[in-house]
């Protein structure tokens, strides 16, 4: 999954989560935290794999161990401040991060290639290496979005727009 797909996937998973819990719908700071969280694993791993620090573009920040530790640190830091919205930001970022991991797991699971999910348990299990790890991340993104092929992630755009508009209509009708 590429950046736009991760952002849309995370957003569409977060909205029902927020509606079913006490967390805020994605708006302003919460939306920014969610979107940054959806990109964070690739922002960390892809460049580090390209320069040879990590064995794969899905290693350190794609590991559930890293995600759990990062979320714990963010949650403690957010609770330390006496502002009611800070835990929501940590939760939104953590949710975005986890949705990224789920998004990367969708294709291998759907194709029956469960062995490719070892990146989730890195460094306990070796991360799968990909031929594209040798290509600069920014070059991969430009090539991907310049391609005329319709990708599954683009199907999420109209769904996300409809959900976003519905949330905005609801938000503007509710008294503040």
């Amino acid at each position: 999954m590429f950046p736009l797909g991760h952002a849309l996937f995370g957003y569409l998973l977060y909205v029902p989560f927020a509606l079913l819990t006490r967390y805020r719908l994605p708006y302003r700071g919460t939306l920014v935290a969610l979107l940054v969280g959806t990109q964070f694993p690739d922002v960390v791993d892809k460049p580090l794999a390209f320069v040879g620090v990590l064995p794969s573009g899905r290693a350190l920040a794609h590991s559930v161990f890293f995600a759990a530790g990062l979320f714990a640190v963010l949650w403690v830091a957010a609770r330390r401040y006496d502002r009611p919205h800070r835990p929501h930001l940590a939760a939104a970022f953590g949710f975005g991060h986890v949705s990224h991991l789920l998004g990367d797991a969708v294709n291998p699971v759907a194709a029956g290639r469960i062995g490719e999910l070892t990146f989730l348990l890195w460094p306990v299990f070796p991360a799968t290496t990909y031929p594209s790890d040798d290509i600069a991340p920014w070059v991969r993104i430009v090539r991907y979005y310049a391609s005329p092929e319709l990708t599954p992630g683009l199907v999420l755009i109209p769904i996300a727009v409809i959900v976003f508009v519905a949330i905005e209509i609801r938000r503007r009708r509710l008294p503040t």
Side-chain angles (χ1 to χ4, degrees):
M1 205 176 277
F2 274 79
L4 181 61
H6 279 298
L8 296 170
F9 187 67
Y11 178 78
L12 291 172
L13 289 178
Y14 188 82
V15 168
F17 165 76
L19 289 172
L20 295 172
T21 65
R22 62 182 175 84
Y23 290 98
R24 295 179 179 162
L25 287 168
Y27 180 68
R28 289 188 183 163
T30 308
L31 181 60
V32 170
L34 173 67
L35 294 178
V36 170
T38 65
Q39 305 307 307
F40 189 74
D42 282 346
V43 169
V44 172
D45 287 353
K46 302 293 186 197
L48 291 177
F50 176 66
V51 297
V53 173
L54 292 176
S56 169
R58 290 184 183 165
L60 177 67
H62 284 76
S63 170
V64 294
F65 304 119
F66 179 87
L70 176 64
F71 187 70
V73 167
L74 289 174
W75 190 258
V76 168
R79 294 302 239 176
R80 188 175 188 106
Y81 297 98
D82 193 25
R83 295 194 178 125
H85 68 281
R86 299 247 188 238
H88 293 287
L89 297 178
F93 179 91
F95 194 97
H97 189 119
V98 170
S99 77
H100 182 107
L101 304 183
L102 291 173
D104 282 348
V106 167
N107 283 340
V109 169
R113 298 185 318 261
I114 306 300
E116 287 183 26
L117 299 179
T118 56
F119 67 87
L120 293 170
L121 298 173
W122 187 85
V124 175
F125 292 102
T128 303
T129 56
Y130 301 92
S132 60
D133 287 340
D134 293 340
I135 302 170
W138 48 92
V139 172
R140 288 181 59 219
I141 290 171
V142 169
R143 284 183 187 167
Y144 180 77
Y145 287 117
S147 169
E149 290 182 32
L150 180 63
T151 62
L154 296 179
V155 175
L156 298 176
I157 292 173
I159 298 168
V161 168
I162 292 167
V163 169
F164 181 80
V165 169
I167 288 172
E168 277 300 299
I169 291 170
R170 178 177 183 236
R171 186 185 65 77
R172 292 175 188 214
R173 286 187 182 163
L174 294 176
T176 55

